[in-house]
Amino acid sequence: MSRILFKGSGKSFPVGKILCLGRNYVAHAKEMGADIPNLPVVFLKPATALIHGSENVIIPPISSEGHHEVEMVVVIGQQAKNVRQEEAYSHVSGYAVGLDMTLRDIQAEAKKKGLPWTIAKGFDTSAPISYAVERSNVSNPHQLQLSLKVNGDLRQESNTSNMIFKIDFLVSYLSSIFTLEPGDLIFTGTPEGIGPVRSGDVLEAELEAVGSLRVGVINQPTFASS
Ligand code: MG
C-alpha cells in the first residue's frame, strides 16, 4: 500500500482515493480548446496510480502519447462530509506537488466517443507525488509558483492564484458528493504548457514553499507472447 509521506516528521497516511480536477486554469482550458467549466470537472485515479520521487512513470503499451500535467495536490487529514467552505481548511492536512500523467491519445479517443477517462488518467504510475508539507507551513496556498521542467527545460510555469476553483470551495463541493477521508488527495488541475514525454525523460516539478519532485519516464514494452 502506497503512503503519503510528510517531509521531516515521519507522519504518513495510506493513500485513499485520488480526486482530480480538469480545466481548473483558464489558460489550460483554452489550450485544450475547452470551455471554462461552471462547476469542477472531476475524475478519479486509483490508489495504485501513486508513485514517489526517484521512481519512474511507466507509459503502458496501449499509448504512444504520455503527457505531463504539473499540479498542486491537497492532502486530506480529517474526514469531511458536507463541510462548509469556511471550515474546509480544517480538513486539509497539507500540500504536495504532483503530476497528473495522462495518455493523451487514449483520452482524445475517449472524448470523441463520449467514453470515460479511466485508462487515460488512472493507469499505474500516473500519479507521482512529492513529500507533503503541513498546512501550517504554507501561509497562502493560492500564492505559490508552480513549474515543471523536462530534461532541464522549463515547460510549465504558473501560479496557484490562477486556479478557477479554489481549495476551500473544492473541499466543500467534493465533500457534498464524496466522503473525504484522511489520505485522500485532490489534484487541483494543471496550468498551460502540457506536452508529451518520451522514454528516458526526467521530469522535475516544483511548488513554492512545498518542495520538488523528480521522476523518470519509461515506455513499457509490448507484452511478449509466450
Ligand atoms: Mg490534470
Side-chain angles (χ1 to χ4, degrees), residues 67-147:
H67 267 205
H68 57 74
E69 297 190 359
V70 68
E71 309 198 357
M72 178 183 202
V73 180
V74 173
V75 181
I76 299 296
Q78 197 183 26
Q79 185 170 306
K81 182 65 188 173
N82 295 324
V83 299
R84 287 178 296 119
Q85 226 169 298
E86 305 78 66
E87 51 191 19
Y89 279 106
S90 64
H91 298 268
V92 172
S93 185
Y95 307 102
V97 61
L99 292 167
D100 165 19
M101 297 302 299
T102 303
L103 307 177
R104 195 68 70 198
D105 47 354
I106 304 293
Q107 187 198 31
E109 194 66 21
K111 280 182 175 175
K112 214 187 317 173
K113 294 179 177 167
L115 295 172
W117 297 358
T118 309
I119 293 172
K121 292 288 197 178
F123 64 98
D124 283 355
T125 76
S126 63
I129 78 161
S130 71
Y131 281 95
V133 300
E134 295 287 342
R135 172 167 56 93
S136 57
N137 292 342
V138 179
S139 53
N140 183 355
H142 286 298
Q143 206 55 252
L144 306 178
Q145 282 297 115
L146 176 66
S147 68

Side-chain angles (χ1 to χ4, degrees), residues 17-73:
K17 56 186 164 298
I18 305 175
L19 290 155
C20 305
L21 273 285
R23 298 184 219 158
N24 202 23
Y25 286 76
V26 171
H28 171 62
K30 283 188 178 154
E31 78 181 342
M32 298 301 286
D35 296 331
I36 311 302
N38 299 319
L39 280 174
V41 174
V42 180
F43 58 92
L44 278 162
K45 292 177 189 265
T48 44
L50 195 86
I51 61 169
H52 294 107
S54 312
E55 295 188 56
N56 288 307
V57 172
I58 299 169
I59 305 297
I62 50 163
S63 173
S64 54
E65 201 187 5
H67 267 205
H68 57 74
E69 297 190 359
V70 68
E71 309 198 357
M72 178 183 202
V73 180

